[in-house]
Structures are given as structure tokens and as C-alpha cells.
Amino acid sequence: MSAWASDMGVENSDANDDKGRITLLGDPHADLTKSLDMEMTHPGPASVGIIGRCKRFALYAVNGEVKYVAISEAEDDPAGDDDPSATLAPAMMNAILKIKDEL
């Protein structure tokens, strides 16, 4: 994950970083993926040897409470590669602002 963080320009971010930066964490055994019910079950990835792939999703949580979840997937695009827009920053920011307005 550190190489990906470096490539994204957030190489100084670590778990429990109190500076408000992005933290990248891995899920090598898919424990979180399975707990969140985000394991992709479409036969496509498994047919090419990709077992236990995580769905493309974004999650907004406050103090451990999930406030919003977005998943980019479609019947003909289970990985959300063709249209990941629901899980990209602009959509998530809009969702977060809407949640905050409702409070």
C-alpha cells in the first residue's frame, strides 16, 4: 500500500494519522470486504482467476458509524469500470454535504 500511497502523493499518511490525510489500508484476506458484503460474486472475474475481488465502493463513516455507501456496478459491468462515477470524489462529496444538510 505504501507504493500506491507514494504514487498518489500521500506517502506520509499512516493509519491513525491525525493530520486529516488519506490512509490507504489493504484487505489481503478479504475480511473487511466480506464483513461489508462487498465481495464481487459475478462469475466474470473468477473465470479469469480473480477470486474474492472487492466491489468498487466508497464508504463514508463518522466515528465508526457508516453514514453512506455507494457502489459502482451494473449488470453488464460488475466491476464498475465503465462508470465508476458513483464512487468518485464529486459524488461522495455531494452525498456527504446532503447528509450534513439533513442533520
Side-chain angles (χ1 to χ4, degrees):
M1 296 305 296
S2 61
W4 190 18
S6 180
D7 185 59
M8 301 308 300
V10 292
E11 64 274 356
N12 294 322
S13 296
D14 292 316
N16 299 317
D17 183 345
D18 64 354
K19 295 185 169 106
R21 294 181 266 173
I22 295 171
T23 300
L24 303 177
L25 300 171
D27 186 20
H29 303 289
D31 296 328
L32 180 63
T33 298
K34 291 174 184 173
S35 294
L36 293 172
D37 196 26
M38 290 293 165
E39 187 172 12
M40 189 183 307
T41 57
H42 189 278
S47 72
V48 294
I50 302 172
I51 309 299
R53 179 171 175 185
C54 183
K55 294 179 181 182
R56 183 185 309 270
F57 75 99
L59 183 142
Y60 172 61
V62 177
N63 295 324
E65 180 182 346
V66 175
K67 302 287 188 176
Y68 181 79
V69 178
I71 303 171
S72 288
E73 66 181 342
E75 189 173 321
D76 62 340
D77 182 24
D81 293 334
D82 293 336
D83 183 14
S85 60
T87 55
L88 298 179
M92 289 302 293
M93 291 303 299
N94 286 337
I96 292 166
L97 291 172
K98 183 177 179 184
I99 290 167
K100 290 187 178 254
D101 286 345
E102 293 173 357
L103 294 178

